[in-house]
Amino acid sequence: MNTGGRLIAGSHNRNEFVLINADENARIRSLQELSGQTCQICGDDIELSVNGELFVACNECAFPVCRPCYEYERREGNQACPQCKTRYKRIKGSPRVQGDDEEDDDDDLDLDHDGMMDPELVAEAALSSRLNTGRGGSPGSQIPLLTYGDEDDDMYSDRHALIVPPSTGYGNRVHPAPFTDSSYAPSQARSMVPQKDIAEYGYGSVAWKDRMEVWKKRQAEKLHVIKHDVNDDEELDDPDMPMMDEGRQPLSRKLPIRSSRINPYRMLILCRLAILCLFFHYRILHPVNDAYGLWLTSVVCEKWFPVSWILDQFPKWYPIQRETYLDRLSLRYEKEGKPSGLAPVDVFVSTVDPLKEPPLITANTVLSILAVDYPVDKVACYVSDDGAAMLTFEALSDTAEFARKWVPFCKKFSIEPRAPEWYFCQKMDYLKNKVHPSFVRERRAMKRDYEEFKVKINALVATAQKVPEEGWTMQDGTPWPGNNVRDHPGMIQVFLGHSGVRDTDGNELPRLVYVSREKRPGFDHHKKAGAMNSLIRVSAVLSNAPYLLNVDCDHYINNSKAIREAMCFMMDPQSGKKVCYVQFPQRFDGIDRHDRYSNRNVVFFDINMKGLDGIQGPIYVGTGCVFRRQALYGFDAPKKKKPPGKTCNCWPKWCCLCCGLRKKGKTKAKDNKTNLKDTTSTQIHAVENIQEGAIVAVSNVEKRSEANQLKLEKKFGQSPVFVASAVMQEGGVPRNASPACLLREAIQVISCGYEDKTEWGKEIGWIYGSVTEDILTGFKMHCHGWRSVYCMPKRPAFKGSAPINLSDRLHQVLRWALGSVEIFLSRHCPIWYGYGGGLKWLERFSYINSVVYPWTSLPLIVYCSLPAVCLLTGKFIVPEISNYAGILFMLMFLSIAVTGILEMQWGGVGIDDWWRNEQFWVIGGASSHLFALFQGLLKVLAGVDTNFTVTSKAADDGAFSELYIFKWTTLLIPPTTLLIINIIGVIVGVSDAISNGYDSWGPLFGRLFFALWVIVHLYPFLKGMLGKQDRMPTIIVVWSILLASILTLLWVRVNPFVAKGGPVLEICGLGCGN
């Protein structure tokens, strides 16, 4: 846009931008010429102030209001401007009202400047100096701000008014530059066009009356919105109700758990703590002398379990649920006949190997994103191909072509879900609620088109099985750049969203971009975390949406309104500013009805996450999460302004209760007066200089701006385009950058060395240092003071696939546990990291529990072995049980059971899901967690990277056939060994009781109970190894029997739990000598 030497004025928050025409002979009229205006409330004339200037009530929009109406509105009304809804500031001479600052005779309209440069201005200036090179602009021509560089932190660049001389060469510039040029010669003062009255710009003219009519219409709409939430039988008795606007209506609300459910739960937790104290008191004071080693081992293990329980239990102290109002979101941001005000969203999809992650699954995920119920110009989908596979590229190209048919079909008939594979295979009445006469015909045609699309994708997969020796070539004969997966350049392809590509109905489609970052030997690419950080930078250069949605390639959008659900929290003007991300629960398809290995993880998503939402928010789980871009950039959460202090007027001035407050108020007022004097003098000096036509060079502004620019480049990298976008809180790309320049910058930000000597992966983006980068990333945001939100819509927002056979499930848990061990041994461990920030204590407990749980595998395996040892030796971990001990044991098990029942009640979890979770906690702890612990120690301490491979051995056909696939892995050995030794122990114990008579059954009962407890918890593991054939694989049997035999022989040789000193000889009592 060419300013042509005109005055630029605007407001970023209200999306206003005005170019006031002026030439060299124009003059600026004084405010005295505006006298004679009438108040738009009472109709009286607006008086002049003591200084001879017109009284202005609102410093934002200058809405004409007289002083009596202004004071009445502050005293009795909403204390806000009727037009822009900005709260009225106190003007000198006006009485104070509740909410004003407690300074004596200070003007609240004066701003306190800290002298710091706005980083957005610095980045914008650096970007312009790079993009305008060679366009006729002088790089050295720089323009001063009215504030002389002393800006307020809350003031953005586009709120300044600049006089732009034509000779500066910034004719195409819209945003101001924050620098001054000492070589710039002062120009003569310019006045406005004589024949053009300032009333034409809004004051006292027909245009102003039109604005008043628009304002009245808005008030009526706001009243209609308020009435929308009131029942028909209720009346609006509040006289101030018409003045309430949409900003006062929350887009969501908290639904606390009913007190009848949560209060008994909390009381039981406290009772359980008391029972634990009594239990340990008894255990420590009653050792087993004839098996001291056995007793000591059990007590040490029992000490660790309560610690783990406390870390898991107390973060569930404040569980809540949430409810969203999608209708209010639409009423506020989607006005009829106006462009949508919803915020843009960039969606990230990550994939690596198309042979392990089928392209058809990725295509369905992309199609569900492109068809989401959200404005098409607000959605951009970025697909990261970290394997640089031509198969993924070609599949995505076909997906973009099929999307031209699929997207309009979904939006025309409002179908759910919008992933075609799952839509066409769902077993339900697809005609329900469908009234369009052409639906059946178009659905059949669309299903046929999708089947043809599937055939294309399957043909590509079949072709990709055999790679040519010379590598793949593109259609024009060019070699595919990604033939060498470990050494290839960065690649970007925009499939949809550019001009000319529309759907079959002629409508615009969301943007679809293929991204494959550069990879070279010798660089650490940081796996998924590095790929996600590359997507952050590419999207910031090309679209720069303020919000990001991250999904795995196998997690499609099941609820087309999922993004709107998240925006109810992110865009809420009251509570959304401190929300860093909105996490959705993970739901899965294709899992057997019984969920044998707890793949759904319902206890975690429906109980633990609700508890965290009541503290500081849920942890980030790696997918199905909407982020605030500024939070990912490592910025601190906005600090909540403390309400003004209140003075006590009920006591005399000499009262000791009030003198302290009065002295503090006077000291604060004195300091503010000094700051205001300095700031006012600087502003007056600046205005005088501009009125005289002089622009004075300020060298310290240049130095400060250069230092800030270097600081931003050191933090974000050497791309001016990205640095400029990073400090734009509302998003958007630079307006003066050409598409070719943006693509060049996009290639630069995905290069290998871009992150060198920056804070990427340390403080910005996805954090490096663990294979579970999701935990670290969310933890860093919470440490910066942000909070997260857990959103559980009635229709699941996302659905994905999960490994359902035993071996794959154990390896998934192994990866998660390995990441926790890496975090535990790093500097980001929540036990010692992040103090002094914004992380709450109960939230810290949750993060500590998420990194220490693999260590529970050591006492768990030992404790699961104790029942077999007791049965084989005839000893026990407790002495003869008294009545008091029996009551303690009964209370302990009863409290555990009742706690689980109450959690199931307020969490809405079934008993099957709860029991499967308990079983797999033992299975995972005895296998995956143990191996992850040793693997993590070897990797972090010794630098040895050990991988446990999985090999497929057999498969069956039929429903859930993958459930019965057996894959050999070393993770299966420890649980199998525990099963065998406990089964052997039960057999030996029962045989011994049968041979010794009736009296031996009493002591045997306790040993049998603990052994059967272990066997029952490992039963899904045993069933998984037997498979559908009801027989255990030979290799597992051989290894387990061998290990159990070795342990048995060692036990016979060592026998450590028997008292030393030789056999105990007793007199039998028979007179053998007689």
Side-chain angles (χ1 to χ4, degrees), residues 323-349:
E323 184 180 21
T324 57
Y325 300 102
L326 297 180
D327 54 345
R328 294 182 182 179
L329 182 73
S330 299
L331 286 173
R332 178 173 299 150
Y333 295 108
E334 293 181 305
K335 304 293 185 180
E336 185 177 356
K338 297 181 180 179
S340 174
L342 294 174
V345 179
D346 291 340
V347 186
F348 296 167
V349 181

Side-chain angles (χ1 to χ4, degrees), residues 3 101 119 137 146 172 178 315-316 336 357 438 475 509 518 544 629 651 712 743 822 838 842 953 999 1041:
T3 60
D101 296 334
L146 290 181
N172 294 326
K316 296 182 283 190
E336 185 177 356
E357 300 166 336
S438 62
Q475 293 182 355
L509 286 169
E518 181 186 15
N544 196 31
R629 188 182 285 268
W651 296 94
L712 290 173
L743 287 176
E822 291 175 341
L842 288 181
K953 295 297 180 181
D999 294 338
I1041 292 178

Side-chain angles (χ1 to χ4, degrees), residues 850-887:
S850 66
V851 300
V852 302
Y853 75 90
W855 296 86
T856 309
S857 60
L858 296 177
L860 179 63
I861 290 179
V862 173
Y863 208 73
C864 289
S865 303
L866 290 179
V869 174
C870 293
L871 289 169
L872 292 174
T873 60
K875 308 297 180 180
F876 200 37
I877 59 176
V878 295
E880 184 177 352
I881 299 178
S882 61
N883 292 335
Y884 175 72
I887 294 175

Side-chain angles (χ1 to χ4, degrees), residues 15 35 126 133 240 256 278 282 288 459 466 484 498 620 711 907 1055:
N15 196 22
S35 61
T133 302
D240 294 332
L278 295 176
Y282 170 80
V288 182
K466 186 177 180 181
N484 189 342
H498 51 84
Y620 169 44
K711 184 178 180 180
N1055 199 7

Side-chain angles (χ1 to χ4, degrees), residues 385 388 479-492 514-520 747 750-752:
D385 178 18
W480 172 247
N483 280 326
N484 189 342
V485 179
R486 295 179 178 84
D487 188 3
H488 65 83
M491 295 176 284
I492 297 176
Y514 169 87
V515 179
S516 181
R517 56 178 174 152
E518 181 186 15
K519 287 190 175 181
R520 301 297 180 189
I747 292 294
I750 61 174
S751 60
C752 290

